[in-house]
């Protein structure tokens, strides 16, 4: 059965439509990103995590977001250029989302429709949601938790082994 995190149509940063259902059977880390945030260096660790586990059916999915401190003001082209040249990002990047206020459908699901302990308002950039092979969110990691932190690595390993 497809989980609620996969029940969304999104657009790539280049503007092409993409169904998150295409990722069914994979483990995903969905992250709201920003290019001008104090946490922007987490892009390095997100790419390292992506590279480490991608051969086992894992992907980071980046969703630029300008909701917190207006720290993602760029156009899709500027975001792509920044991520490619500054951080050599190879994981998929999507069009900007609204993670608060009039939320994008994916972020409405992540903040309002998940079980207790996972749902709740996004506090800042680089909030991470781990989605299992079944499409269901199993973990939420707040912005200050580094992508290569032991708790994230262990959760990814468990999800890949499930």
């Amino acid at each position: 059965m497809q989980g609620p995190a996969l029940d969304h149509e999104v657009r790539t940063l280049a503007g092409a439509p993409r169904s998150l259902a295409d990722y069914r059977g994979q483990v995903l880390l969905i992250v709201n990103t920003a290019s001008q945030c104090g946490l922007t260096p987490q892009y390095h660790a997100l790419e390292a995590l992506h590279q480490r586990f991608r051969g086992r059916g894992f992907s980071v999915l980046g969703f630029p977001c300008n909701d917190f401190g207006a720290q993602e003001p760029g156009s899709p082209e500027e975001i792509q250029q920044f991520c490619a040249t500054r951080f050599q990002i190879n994981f998929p990047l999507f069009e900007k989302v609204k993670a608060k206020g009039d939320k994008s459908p994916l972020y409405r699901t992540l903040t309002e429709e998940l079980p207790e302990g996972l749902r709740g308002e996004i506090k800042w950039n680089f909030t991470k949601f781990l989605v299992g092979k079944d499409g269901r969110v199993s973990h939420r990691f707040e912005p200050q938790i580094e992508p290569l932190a032991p708790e994230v690595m262990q959760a990814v390993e468990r999800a890949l082994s499930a």
Side-chain angles (χ1 to χ4, degrees), residues 15-86:
R18 182 77 193 257
S19 172
L20 292 182
D22 294 346
Y23 292 99
R24 185 177 311 160
Q26 294 185 43
V27 174
L28 307 171
L29 192 69
I30 295 174
V31 186
N32 63 306
T33 62
S35 298
Q36 297 178 10
C37 178
L39 299 174
T40 299
Q42 284 191 20
Y43 267 129
H44 285 300
L46 289 168
E47 180 61 23
L49 190 69
H50 178 76
Q51 292 300 325
R52 179 171 180 163
F53 293 113
R54 72 182 181 153
R56 294 176 54 195
F58 172 81
S59 185
V60 171
L61 304 182
F63 288 87
C65 181
N66 197 41
D67 291 345
F68 305 99
Q71 295 176 344
E72 188 58 272
S75 68
E77 297 79 16
E78 289 168 333
I79 295 167
Q80 181 67 51
Q81 178 73 16
F82 174 83
C83 289
T85 59
R86 180 109 184 260

Side-chain angles (χ1 to χ4, degrees), residues 41-140:
Q42 284 191 20
Y43 267 129
H44 285 300
L46 289 168
E47 180 61 23
L49 190 69
H50 178 76
Q51 292 300 325
R52 179 171 180 163
F53 293 113
R54 72 182 181 153
R56 294 176 54 195
F58 172 81
S59 185
V60 171
L61 304 182
F63 288 87
C65 181
N66 197 41
D67 291 345
F68 305 99
Q71 295 176 344
E72 188 58 272
S75 68
E77 297 79 16
E78 289 168 333
I79 295 167
Q80 181 67 51
Q81 178 73 16
F82 174 83
C83 289
T85 59
R86 180 109 184 260
F87 294 101
Q88 294 75 50
I89 297 302
N90 289 299
F91 59 80
L93 293 168
F94 296 88
E95 283 189 343
K96 283 185 193 179
V97 293
K98 293 282 295 161
K100 69 178 191 177
D102 184 20
K103 298 174 191 155
S104 302
L106 172 61
Y107 274 82
R108 192 172 318 113
T109 294
L110 294 173
T111 60
E112 299 173 14
E113 299 172 17
L114 295 180
E116 184 86 27
L118 294 173
R119 71 175 176 255
E121 293 303 311
I122 303 290
K123 295 177 182 82
W124 202 252
N125 304 307
F126 293 92
T127 300
K128 303 155 203 71
F129 293 89
L130 185 65
V131 181
K133 294 176 187 175
D134 62 357
R136 302 211 176 273
V137 175
S138 62
H139 294 79
R140 176 180 174 149

